[in-house]
Amino acid sequence: MHKPELITFDCYGTLIDWNGGITSALRERFPEAATQGDAELLATFYEIQDALKISEYRTYRELLAQVSEALAAARGWKLEEGEREFVAESIPGWTPFPDTNAALERLAAAGYRLGILSNIDDVLLAGTLRHFTVRFDLLVTAQSLESYKPAPRHFEMALAEVGGDSGRMLHVAQSLFHDVRTAVRLGIPVVWVNRMAETRPPDLEPAAEVEDVAGAVDWLEDQLGDGGGA
């Protein structure tokens, strides 16, 4: 493997504890959610969200509001008009996974350019960036493109940063649906951060499968054989 010039990350779910943030926000807003497990809550949330993403573009703040309304309606829970943006409003408080910042610092110290490819709005991402201890050289949001992953536009923007050469970048992500499958299709080396111990589909072969972002950095250093230094 050649040393990548640019390493990009999905943000929420890979660097930031997305599932923990969503379940906390839902349980705080809806006391009735106490009777449901995290897996059940998240499954319903993501089913509604992914269905809405493939319709016409709206900001992620508005998308989350619509998902929250649909979830409340499906469960028979009360949600006032003025409360519909509660999930988006909670996002700036969501924190990185314990391994995130130390792993990013290792890459920054080794001289890598780092980027984020996220299905988020600019203002919401700005609130999250304060939790990181490194600076990102590239920030690509759904709002800036008016497009959501798994559509390819995020990845095409990143590829443009390296002259269109997929061998000069590496993507690191948790979501098979939003990130890994599209990266593989575009020929971009991708490390799957399998935080939820999912079973990999037999038709999908990322460059590596690891448990966390620290594992992705370890794998990269092993591939390069020189500690990954610049």
Side-chain angles (χ1 to χ4, degrees):
M1 175 179 180
H2 297 294
K3 182 176 178 178
E5 298 176 18
L6 173 67
I7 302 176
T8 56
F9 298 85
D10 172 55
C11 185
Y12 302 93
T14 303
L15 304 177
I16 296 289
D17 187 358
W18 177 249
N19 285 347
I22 289 175
T23 53
S24 294
L26 292 175
R27 293 189 189 286
E28 182 177 349
R29 178 59 59 189
F30 302 118
E32 304 93 333
T35 63
Q36 299 189 353
D38 288 355
E40 183 180 1
L41 273 176
L42 290 168
T44 304
F45 186 94
Y46 288 133
E47 180 180 1
I48 296 169
Q49 175 185 257
D50 291 343
L52 287 172
K53 274 183 182 174
I54 62 175
S55 58
E56 65 180 19
Y57 172 81
R58 76 277 280 160
T59 66
Y60 200 61
R61 176 178 288 274
E62 177 59 25
L63 179 66
L64 287 173
Q66 293 179 2
V67 174
S68 299
E69 289 177 324
L71 177 63
R75 291 289 187 265
W77 299 339
K78 184 177 180 181
L79 182 65
E80 302 292 346
E81 173 66 23
E83 300 174 333
R84 61 195 298 270
E85 294 187 356
F86 72 93
V87 175
E89 290 169 356
S90 73
I91 288 177
W94 297 1
T95 54
F97 290 103
D99 64 287
T100 293
N101 276 318
L104 292 174
E105 288 169 9
R106 288 166 62 189
L107 295 173
Y112 290 104
R113 295 180 65 213
L114 305 178
I116 286 177
L117 312 182
S118 180
N119 279 345
I120 200 74
D121 297 345
D122 297 345
V123 170
L124 296 178
L125 180 59
T128 292
L129 291 176
R130 65 186 176 87
H131 293 291
F132 297 125
T133 55
V134 301
R135 176 185 174 276
F136 289 91
D137 303 284
L138 175 68
L139 300 172
V140 182
T141 64
Q143 184 177 21
S144 67
L145 301 174
E146 295 193 356
S147 176
Y148 286 109
K149 297 179 294 182
R153 292 194 63 194
H154 285 73
F155 301 94
E156 291 167 351
M157 286 289 291
L159 283 170
E161 292 287 315
V162 292
D165 184 352
S166 60
R168 293 164 59 191
M169 70 172 285
L170 176 71
H171 189 57
V172 181
Q174 178 273 325
S175 177
L176 293 171
F177 175 74
H178 294 99
D179 289 81
V180 176
R181 192 170 290 279
T182 301
V184 169
R185 180 167 59 82
L186 294 175
I188 298 170
V190 56
V191 176
W192 178 30
V193 180
N194 189 7
R195 291 192 181 274
M196 297 186 291
E198 299 175 88
T199 300
R200 179 175 59 84
D203 66 331
L204 192 60
E205 294 189 12
E209 176 183 340
V210 297
E211 294 181 355
D212 54 25
V213 176
V217 179
D218 290 341
W219 172 84
L220 178 60
E221 292 178 349
D222 288 343
Q223 290 296 303
L224 297 176
D226 63 354

